[in-house]
Amino acid sequence: MKKFIDDLTVCSNRKLNNDYFILGLTSVKPLPAMLPGQFAEVKVENNPAVFLRRPISVHDVDYAKNILYLLVKIVGEGTRTLSFLETGNTLNLVYPLGNTFTTEDVKNVLLVGGGCGIAPLLYLARHLHNLKIKTTILLGGRTETDILESEAFRQYGEVYISTDDGSLGEKGFLTNNSIMAQITNFDRLYCCGPLPMMKVLAAIAKQHQTDCEVSLENTMACGIGACLCCVTPTTAGNKCVCTEGPVFNVKQLQWQI
Amino acid sequence: MADLKVKIGALEFKNPVLTASGTFGYGHEFQDFLNISRLGGIIVKGTTLEPRQGNPYPRMAETPSGMLNAVGLQNKGIDVFINEIYPQIKHFDTNIIVNVSGSKLEDYIAVVEKLNHLDRIPAIELNISCPNVKQGGMAFGTSCTSAAEVTKAVRAAYKKTLIVKLSPNVTNIAEIAKAVEDAGADSVSLINTLLGMAIDAETRRPVLSTITGGLSGPCIKPIALRMVWQVSKAIKIPVVGLGGIMNATDAVEFLLAGATAVQIGTANFIDPAISEKIVDGIGEYCTRHNIAAVTELIGALKI
Ligand SMILES: Cc1cc2nc3c(=O)[nH]c(=O)nc-3n(C[C@H](O)[C@H](O)[C@H](O)COP(=O)(O)OP(=O)(O)OC[C@H]3O[C@@H](n4cnc5c(N)ncnc54)[C@H](O)[C@@H]3O)c2cc1C
Ligand SMILES: Cc1cc2nc3c(=O)[nH]c(=O)nc-3n(C[C@H](O)[C@H](O)[C@H](O)COP(=O)(O)O)c2cc1C
Ligand code: FES
């Protein structure tokens, strides 16, 4: 897929709560085709403390309105600076980068998102819905404010929720959610979230011989396969998360699960 | 339009802008963003005799105005380069230079002997300065004797243009440059990364798996400029300058300090189209200053 370096225009910046916001970005040109799981390397301007671009997933694309959405969690200087963007500002992106989730040979799937890990999953849910694949969504987080976009997900399938403190949905880790009892019904799990959560989920999937794809968030410099900073060990040696990922089937990874 | 051509040894470059090893992949990663044939040259990733997996993740830490890397020469080895990568890139209408790395003298020799036969590789950059591998690498580049020894051996084995890449992690870089010149190098390039370190105070752990790593980006530019200036005064062979070049003005500064050509490294990560823009920017600088040939800028620092 051809990659672009483009200035997009901020058309919305919606604050979800103190930690999360969603940027809407548009362009005078039609946006390029993007696949679920792909990401953009975003240039953070006006903050000398931020040097490298920041990788952010494609959260959703509305081709009719020519808008790309990015869901961002404020964790440091880069993401904080992005949260100040206003309508009309420009944002420079190198995109679309990385691979995508596999959606062939599945009829019934479970999407599992922990906290900000839901970022790539909404666009995936839309895509699966278009392919008429039965989709169930499991969202988890520490507390209520980590559960994002559950209404948007409901357009595409049944939504299950877990919070560690029980403030929303079932109390406990999402890997203990009641839907997990039905894990063998699913042809594949798609998961994005904190690494420990993904590893527990991958272990459960393995136990039940259910296929599982995860999206990794290794730190990156270039995002285009040039620097080799972002590697993860796989059965075929070190692979770049930015070009051969971010989506991997757990069978490819050297996880001790 | 000014004449941007420069020469290193017998080799002509259409302009003085090259891309630095390890920051530009094999070139094809950047094809969507720029026209590679507009560059003076590309220097591909450090290539060793055997394939290498490099160091464990995490290999990167952002720093103020720069970054640390500890990639550790991950590459598929010279044979895969020759059989699989070279056929994909040899059509690029630019000078393709291979950065040759190793931990043993025999390995360097074995690699350059294989490169002698490739028509589209007119030069090598001998990396005796990688701070990220335990054995050799930088060890060769930190003493005059070993730098001269490896240069001499490679010179005897390699027929085409030989550029030796120097480490800044030394007390007197000009001395090393002189030793390398005397041993038969056609040119020296500098600087490789500076040895550095990053700590995560919250976890009380080093950020990099290797604890230390190589610092690059604009934070090293003043050091690189100073070294290019010192080295270019000390030797007669051409100097290729690099370290923190982010735009055409930075590149011109290196030429003024004495560099015949420059390399663009970490800047490629921030703007993958930057090296082509720097070619244009140097041209514009020449026009603005009524300079007919870019070679007039080399070492033209007014003191
Ligand atoms: C492919 C990919 C897709 C991503 N998608 C999204 C997304 O859609 N939305 C989103 O909010 N974030 C996403 N991220 C993570 C995002 O890139 C980082 O949160 C961001 O770079 C942090 O920048 P900062 O300057 O705010 O924080 P920094 O100051 O750089 O870091 C703040 C803290 O977070 C830690 N940290 C930073 N980056 C990472 C990382 N990649 N992994 C683990 N710890 C890290 C640092 O160690 C530090 O403790 C994605 C990452 C990748 C690789
Ligand atoms: C991720 C990364 C990988 C690198 N790999 C190599 C390498 O394989 N061989 C080499 O000689 N230099 C390597 N370098 C050093 C660069 O070529 C260059 O000397 C250094 O980064 C300074 O220039 P800069 O500040 O413009 O990046 C690497 C640098 C980075 C950032
Ligand atoms: S971030 Fe540079 S290779 Fe993946």
Side-chain angles (χ1 to χ4, degrees):
Chain A
M1 273 174 91
K2 189 170 159 62
K3 305 178 191 84
F4 298 86
I5 176 166
D6 267 334
D7 279 332
L8 301 196
T9 307
V10 177
C11 57
S12 61
N13 182 353
R14 182 158 65 93
K15 186 173 166 174
L16 301 181
N17 55 50
N18 282 339
D19 295 330
Y20 299 92
F21 60 97
I22 296 181
L23 289 176
L25 303 169
T26 189
S27 171
V28 284
K29 298 187 286 187
L31 293 171
M34 289 170 256
L35 301 171
Q38 290 193 303
F39 65 98
E41 276 272 53
V42 176
K43 178 107 199 296
V44 178
E45 303 282 0
N46 304 321
N47 189 337
V50 181
F51 177 63
L52 297 167
R53 287 175 181 264
R54 295 295 190 258
I56 304 289
S57 305
V58 171
H59 177 51
D60 203 3
V61 191
D62 185 336
Y63 287 105
K65 294 194 183 133
N66 205 40
I67 300 177
L68 161 65
Y69 293 98
L70 305 178
L71 185 155
V72 186
K73 179 177 187 181
I74 301 173
V75 298
E77 280 298 309
T79 47
R80 187 181 318 283
T81 308
L82 293 176
S83 75
F84 299 139
L85 284 169
E86 291 171 7
T87 304
N89 290 163
T90 54
L91 192 63
N92 187 271
L93 263 58
V94 175
Y95 78 127
L97 305 174
N99 67 354
T100 182
F101 296 95
T102 22
T103 50
E104 292 86 36
D105 329 315
V106 289
K107 292 195 181 69
N108 186 13
V109 299
L110 178 67
L111 272 52
V112 186
C116 194
I118 68 132
L121 299 183
L122 186 66
Y123 191 44
L124 174 63
R126 181 198 281 271
H127 187 73
L128 292 164
H129 184 76
N130 291 343
L131 295 172
K132 303 203 164 38
I133 294 165
K134 183 164 188 280
T135 304
T136 307
I137 299 112
L138 170 58
L139 307 176
R142 270 174 301 114
T143 185
E144 198 174 1
T145 48
D146 293 322
I147 306 301
L148 310 166
E149 300 277 90
S150 53
E151 283 316 307
F153 277 108
R154 273 195 190 97
Q155 307 168 69
Y156 307 120
E158 207 174 338
V159 174
Y160 291 77
I161 293 173
S162 279
T163 49
D164 299 357
D165 63 3
S167 52
L168 195 68
E170 297 176 26
K171 181 170 163 44
F173 292 138
L174 59 64
T175 43
N176 296 328
N177 189 283
S178 54
I179 189 67
M180 292 300 288
Q182 299 173 41
I183 184 165
T184 50
N185 293 349
F186 299 109
D187 303 320
R188 182 172 293 137
L189 309 186
Y190 300 99
C191 179
C192 185
L195 203 55
M197 177 279 246
M198 291 201 283
K199 286 190 175 168
V200 174
L201 192 87
I204 300 172
K206 188 179 175 187
Q207 224 175 7
H208 294 91
Q209 291 168 358
T210 305
D211 206 46
C212 180
E213 290 186 357
V214 295
S215 179
L216 302 185
E217 294 199 345
N218 286 14
T219 47
M220 295 182 175
C222 71
I224 57 174
C227 72
L228 310 184
C229 287
C230 63
V231 294
T232 190
T234 72
T235 48
N238 281 334
K239 296 281 181 203
C240 285
V241 171
C242 69
T243 48
E244 300 187 64
V247 180
F248 291 90
N249 193 299
V250 291
K251 280 185 288 200
Q252 293 170 269
L253 300 173
Q254 303 278 26
W255 285 359
Q256 307 298 321
I257 49 171
Chain B
M1 185 68 199
D3 177 5
L4 294 185
K5 288 195 286 295
V6 296
K7 264 179 105 173
I8 290 176
L11 185 59
E12 190 173 273
F13 294 78
K14 57 181 88 164
N15 62 60
V17 181
L18 287 68
T19 55
S21 177
T23 66
F24 203 69
Y26 294 97
H28 52 65
E29 295 85 347
F30 288 78
Q31 269 179 299
D32 287 344
F33 306 111
L34 50 69
N35 181 355
I36 290 171
S37 66
R38 293 220 41 231
L39 304 178
I42 62 172
I43 304 185
V44 305
K45 178 69 194 165
T47 304
T48 52
L49 184 59
E50 306 291 344
R52 289 201 188 179
Q53 285 298 319
N55 293 318
Y57 178 86
R59 296 174 167 186
M60 193 277 288
E62 191 182 35
T63 68
S65 297
M67 61 180 275
L68 287 158
N69 89 83
V71 172
L73 297 179
Q74 178 179 332
N75 79 101
K76 297 195 164 108
I78 186 66
D79 290 332
V80 174
F81 173 78
I82 292 173
N83 299 321
E84 293 172 25
I85 301 167
Y86 176 66
Q88 291 178 50
I89 63 171
K90 66 176 183 187
H91 67 278
F92 290 150
D93 179 21
T94 189
N95 288 324
I96 307 168
I97 299 173
V98 177
N99 180 271
V100 176
S101 301
S103 6
K104 292 204 297 281
L105 195 58
E106 306 88 85
D107 293 1
Y108 281 113
I109 305 297
V111 172
V112 303
E113 280 174 348
K114 290 176 191 241
L115 287 170
N116 267 328
H117 311 296
L118 304 187
D119 298 343
R120 296 284 303 122
I121 308 288
I124 60 166
E125 180 179 62
L126 187 67
N127 179 6
I128 55 167
S129 45
C130 178
N132 292 326
V133 286
K134 282 203 187 74
Q135 279 264 316
M138 188 169 85
F140 283 110
T142 48
S143 98
C144 290
T145 329
S146 56
E149 187 193 2
V150 62
T151 305
K152 201 173 218 159
V154 169
R155 175 72 291 172
Y158 186 69
K159 309 283 174 278
K160 295 180 256 178
T161 302
L162 170 61
I163 305 167
V164 179
K165 185 164 180 180
L166 304 183
S167 171
N169 303 302
V170 295
T171 321
N172 186 342
I173 195 166
E175 254 176 22
I176 311 254
K178 188 83 186 63
V180 164
E181 174 181 45
D182 292 343
D186 296 308
S187 166
V188 291
S189 57
L190 61 142
I191 59 176
N192 206 318
T193 53
L194 282 148
L195 201 56
M197 178 167 171
I199 294 175
D200 183 334
E202 290 306 313
T203 60
R204 303 187 189 180
R205 288 176 188 281
V207 179
L208 300 173
S209 68
T210 46
I211 306 178
T212 61
L215 186 64
S216 65
C219 58
I220 70 168
K221 194 186 91 173
I223 301 171
L225 265 179
R226 182 264 293 176
M227 289 186 162
V228 165
W229 182 64
Q230 287 178 328
V231 167
S232 69
K233 285 194 304 177
I235 60 175
K236 292 186 189 66
I237 53 175
V239 173
V240 181
L242 74 153
I245 298 177
M246 298 300 284
N247 51 47
T249 310
D250 292 342
V252 168
E253 291 170 17
F254 275 82
L255 299 177
L256 293 171
T260 298
V262 296
Q263 295 178 21
I264 315 304
T266 304
N268 294 307
F269 305 157
I270 316 295
D271 178 356
I274 193 67
S275 46
E276 190 176 353
K277 290 180 193 164
I278 291 177
V279 174
D280 293 333
I282 294 175
E284 284 158 21
Y285 177 93
C286 291
T287 308
R288 197 151 46 82
H289 288 264
N290 273 320
I291 286 164
V294 74
T295 47
E296 291 171 35
L297 290 174
I298 301 169
L301 185 68
K302 297 181 191 165
I303 295 179

